[in-house]
Amino acid sequence: MKMNLYDQKNLKEEVLTDVVPVNNAPEIDEEPPKEIPQRALDDARRIKVLSPSRLVAKRFFRNKLAMAGLVILIAMFLLCFVGGWVGRYGQKEVFYKYDNIMFSFGTANERTTYEGYYVIDASEINNLERNKLNSYISEMRSKQQDTRNYTDSEGNAYTLTKLDENLYEYRFHKIQKTATYDNKIEIGQYHENINGEESELILDGPYSSLITDNTFKNLVKANIPGRFVYEGNTYIILKSNKIPTIYIAGDDGKLIGEDQSDGFKTVVKNNLSANGFTYEGKDFIIEFIASNGIYQISRDYGNRLAAYLSTYVFDMQEAGFLVDTEFKTSAFGAVYGSGTFEWKGKTYRIMKNEKDIIVIQDISNAEPVDFANFSTFVVRRYNGEDTLSISFKDQLQEKVKDMIANGETLSQFTFYMQQIDGEGNLIFNEEGEPVFDTSVFVVERKLDNFVLTNLQNKYLINIFDKPSSEHWMGTDGSGMDVFTRLMYGGRISLIIGFVVVFLEVILGVILGGIAGYFGKWVDQLIMRIVDIFYCVPTLPILIILGAFFDSVRMDSYMRIMYMMIVLGILGWPGVARMVRGQILSLREQEFMIATEAAGLKASRRIFKHLIPNVMPQLIVIATMGLGGVILTESTLSFLGLGAKYPLATWGAMINSVSSSSAMVNYTYIWIPVGLMICLTVIAFNFVGDGLRDAFDPKMKR
Amino acid sequence: MGRFIFKRTLLSIIILFFVMFIVYFLIHSLPTSYIETVARQLATRPGNMKSVEQWMADLNATYGLSDNVFTGYFVWLGKAFKGDFGDSWYYSIPVVEEFKKVIWNSFYLGIAALLIEVLVAIPLGVISARKQYSLTDYSVTVTALIGISLPTFFVATLLKLVFSIKLNWFDISGMVSRNYISMTDTQQFFDKAWHFVLPIITLTVVGIGGLMRYTRTNMLEVLNSDYIRTARAKGLSERKVINRHAFRNTLIPIVTILGGSLPGLFAGALITETLFAIEGIGFASYHAMVAGDIPFTMFYLSFMSILTLLGNFISDILYAVVDPRVRIN
């Protein structure tokens, strides 16, 4: 090597190696006083003693890479520990925003099913019958019938009458069984010969005269079962078993049913041969049932209007105005009736307007006011409410007609309407006047339904927001601030790193120290344990544990604890090996012989004399190890097996956007986070490398 | 030398015994309820022919999980020694068969990455050491440190973003193209090789730093040694000094290290394979482990331990071969 003795730099370095022994020796100051440029090497004025640690620090600070690493690390620490604390937002804080999105506004369809508007209490008609109404109407339409009469199993009669295509009248004739009347007394039997040759009557004493009466016998024969009047008496024949039994109608019978008063019974008795009677203003039907010989008394409610069935809906002129069923049934009644009706003290008139639409007008005042329209086109808000104006409905209906005519499935129209805010309330300006604006509505056909969407201002979770002044790195898929999570994530990553390295160093120093100091079989044993732990694969074990923790749904913090313990337990062999090696060589040095000669205790010799001399290497290995642990932790979290959402760690944050679409679109989330990991690890490695060089200048040469 | 190898082998076997015990102990410590849950989940996978009860019975027979840890260990060791690791729950075929299916992919990946690493890292390390403190040296050192510091998943994701998504040169993951079956043999080979490019780059980027630093350090050590000074002193050309004397001597520790890393070629790259869906041992075992496939996990853990041990063993032997002083101790 060429050497110029007068070159200050080379001079200094040469002096260093020649004069300074490796341990605890004084160092010559780098800068000689300026006024004495040339001096002999042994000039006492040139020599300034530096402590070993200051020497190391000086060498370290001169290393640019190490300094860069240190600066990065300090910045990182400030960012993670102070930043998270100073930062505006919390780690798990979710952000919301108002934004315009295409949102479902309402639906529209042409009503084709008939809805029942009941005049009477709808529960009087049983459910089964009510549910069949639409199918009856479609049957009538296909057979082109205008009326349909039918009865149900209980004898109730119904009539469906078509008023027009969209309006049917539904009448109900209700017959309700209320009582039975039994007045028969057994008087004998009629024995019929099987061959039909001889038949005979067997009658009780008072009626024995009738046995030979052929007229009576023939009447009996003709009325099995049945009822006949003979000589003023009513006889009843029942065919129970095989032998018909003959009864006579008694004066008094047994009445079973709702009303068992004598008055009712008398009326019943008097009307046994009639079809019906009226009692206390109610109509009753009386019917003789031949099969069991008793009288069935049924209440006849008469033929009443039950309901109107219609596909019409009422489009109110005043949007959102609600009317009750009474209004609707009265209106339907008026269409083919008087044409006017009253509701809540006001009079309304039904008429057809110029567009041939049935209109209800309020004629309480001098000037008729349009009140509602009949329509079969139903337009509702997305929540089912009918709050839209007629003009809107009309415009939509026209649009839909066009769409059907043109066979379109997607179209749009504009409408000038009052604006609605995120919560669905109408917007008013400062003066309290409604704010109107033009809205664009997109109409999409979905089978028979037309779905309306428009741009609405909604209160949304602010996901995947682009970086802005509010969110410096945007927000993630859950609406949390990425920058804040980056800081908190770094905190966890760094803490994990420190704890794990601390564990490793403690275990490694103790076991390595013992092995190196005592040697012999202790050394052999511990080093074999080191070999064993060295072979246990760390990452697979952490993955299995992660999968297991997933399965038992372990708490996020507990997972981290276990992860740190496992990493520490599996990571110490490297430290132990290094410590042992160092101690083995240190043990042979003179200063250790001196401690032995001085009679120091073993523990003191280890901890006061050996360990401090291992410290430099320990610091280096710990610094480099920190980077390694952070790498392992982020890898695990990236695989989803480390810290879990919503706890932030760097790896987990990248994992949340690792699908290929997220990878392209949300680079502003994962690239900074990934760079943070790289930078931290690189910085630790730079600093570790720099420290190594500073501690051991021999290596550098 | 023979004695040394014999001693080392014996020691390795003892270590292996205990390592396997730790692995077994870990799996044995998993709660039975967890194993049953997993068995139930995996029993519903298509292609599975056995019931949960059968699986659990098989597991107990092969792994002695119902016995206590020590007797169970010997039951398992006995079976494992004969190569019987049971049926994989996740893949529904014997573990060893699945292993045979995937291991070569891992090997190809590993050997390609290792070759590139060696071809790039050693020359760079040598150059860097020769021109110590030069710009080249600094850039090599810094690059090496950065390479060591990069998380595999970040490199892989970045490569995917640039080459798969932006440039569209490679598939984002997977080992073969969609029309692989309809290709000729040569095309199939190149198709597969093409899909291996990104994983190989990832592995190289992440792994190259270590070798580079190692080469540089050793080269520096050699360059500072007395015989190099002597060689220079006797007037040999710098080329001869470097190529004949320095480089050859540097090769000794490097070869030792490389020899030790040979078994690692079969270990697969868990993260890289998983991220690029290369069906190697890492990929297969990652999915098996996450799903809780106990038989496969046991196998993989043992396999990894054996590979590490084998690597150390080879390293030691090679070291002893090149440096006779080691043999004495």
Side-chain angles (χ1 to χ4, degrees), chain A residues 65 528 531-532 535 541 543-544 548 551 635 638 660 664 674 678 681-682 685-686 689 692 699-701, chain B residues 11 15 18-19 26 31 34 132-133 142 145 149-150 153-154 165 172 213 217 224 270-271 275 297 309:
Chain A
L65 276 185
R528 293 301 81 79
D531 284 341
I532 290 167
C535 288
I541 284 179
I543 289 175
I544 296 161
F548 168 61
S551 142
T635 305
F638 174 76
S660 49
V664 187
C678 298
V681 180
I682 290 169
N685 283 339
F686 277 173
D689 220 36
R692 195 207 318 263
M699 265 307 289
K700 249 198 145 179
R701 309 226 117 204
Chain B
L11 197 64
I15 291 171
F18 284 105
V19 172
L26 267 169
Y34 167 68
Q132 201 187 0
Y133 302 135
V142 171
L145 261 178
S149 313
L150 285 176
F153 64 90
F154 186 60
I165 294 170
I172 201 155
R213 278 163 65 91
T217 318
N224 281 332
L270 199 125
I271 313 285
L275 289 181
T297 306
L309 205 60

Side-chain angles (χ1 to χ4, degrees), chain B residues 184-205:
Chain B
T184 62
D185 284 356
T186 353
Q187 280 173 325
Q188 283 189 342
F189 173 79
F190 282 108
D191 181 61
K192 223 170 184 175
W194 189 244
H195 282 83
F196 272 54
V197 170
L198 282 189
I200 290 172
I201 295 177
T202 311
L203 282 180
T204 312
V205 167

Side-chain angles (χ1 to χ4, degrees), chain B residues 199-229:
Chain B
I200 290 172
I201 295 177
T202 311
L203 282 180
T204 312
V205 167
V206 174
I208 205 164
L211 191 61
M212 216 136 80
R213 278 163 65 91
Y214 192 76
T215 312
R216 177 177 175 273
T217 318
N218 280 300
M219 189 71 181
L220 277 180
E221 215 161 82
V222 170
L223 283 177
N224 281 332
S225 54
D226 295 338
Y227 57 86
I228 295 296
R229 192 178 298 179

Side-chain angles (χ1 to χ4, degrees), chain A residues 229-459:
Chain A
V229 182
Y230 181 65
E231 291 176 352
N233 289 323
T234 305
Y235 296 91
I236 298 157
I237 317 295
L238 278 188
K239 200 183 175 181
S240 53
N241 299 326
K242 277 182 182 169
I243 305 155
T245 315
I246 304 163
Y247 299 86
I248 187 165
D251 288 339
D252 199 16
K254 214 160 73 181
L255 183 73
I256 303 168
E258 279 176 9
D259 191 347
Q260 294 185 19
S261 64
D262 284 346
F264 184 65
K265 201 173 177 179
T266 316
V267 177
V268 170
K269 259 193 263 179
N270 293 338
N271 287 289
L272 283 181
S273 52
N275 285 326
F277 59 88
T278 310
Y279 174 72
E280 288 182 355
K282 297 170 187 164
D283 288 334
F284 289 91
I285 297 171
I286 192 156
E287 192 181 0
F288 178 73
I289 298 167
S291 61
N292 53 9
I294 56 172
Y295 295 89
Q296 175 72 53
I297 299 143
S298 306
R299 166 97 191 263
D300 182 358
Y301 285 89
N303 195 350
R304 287 175 301 158
L305 175 65
Y308 287 102
L309 297 167
S310 176
T311 54
Y312 283 128
V313 287
F314 292 84
D315 283 343
M316 294 297 156
Q317 287 294 345
E318 186 187 329
F321 189 85
L322 293 176
V323 289
D324 60 10
T325 318
E326 191 198 334
F327 175 89
K328 292 175 183 172
T329 50
S330 313
F332 285 134
V335 176
Y336 291 97
S338 58
T340 57
F341 66 96
E342 298 220 340
W343 182 65
K344 289 196 175 168
K346 284 186 175 176
T347 313
Y348 297 91
R349 168 173 88 176
I350 307 258
M351 54 171 288
K352 280 195 173 176
N353 71 2
E354 64 279 6
K355 284 186 196 161
D356 221 23
I357 293 170
I358 304 171
V359 181
I360 302 173
Q361 287 179 328
D362 182 356
I363 49 168
S364 305
N365 306 315
E367 188 74 20
V369 183
D370 275 359
F371 187 71
N373 288 2
F374 276 36
S375 163
T376 56
F377 190 71
V378 188
V379 184
R380 295 281 182 270
R381 284 301 305 277
Y382 68 94
N383 56 6
E385 280 173 13
D386 176 19
T387 51
L388 294 163
S389 66
I390 286 193
S391 52
F392 182 84
K393 290 173 179 172
D394 284 349
Q395 199 171 340
L396 178 62
Q397 192 169 7
E398 263 169 41
K399 187 83 233 171
V400 165
K401 271 182 195 157
D402 283 357
M403 282 173 75
I404 294 172
N406 299 336
E408 293 172 329
T409 55
L410 196 68
S411 182
Q412 63 180 45
F413 69 98
T414 54
F415 190 76
Y416 189 73
M417 65 182 293
Q418 190 172 358
Q419 295 300 292
I420 296 169
D421 69 9
E423 271 102 42
N425 301 318
L426 296 167
I427 298 177
F428 294 91
N429 63 11
E430 287 87 5
E431 284 94 49
E433 289 162 358
V435 179
F436 282 88
D437 200 2
T438 313
S439 292
V440 178
F441 290 92
V442 175
V443 189
E444 195 186 353
R445 183 175 182 169
K446 286 181 178 166
L447 297 175
D448 282 343
N449 264 320
F450 292 85
V451 178
L452 275 175
T453 47
N454 71 338
L455 211 56
Q456 290 176 37
N457 195 294
K458 287 275 171 193
Y459 194 51

Side-chain angles (χ1 to χ4, degrees), chain A residues 47 96 136 168 217 341 447 480 544 568:
Chain A
I47 298 169
Y96 296 85
Y136 286 147
Y168 282 73
K217 200 176 182 177
F341 66 96
L447 297 175
M480 301 180 189
I544 296 161

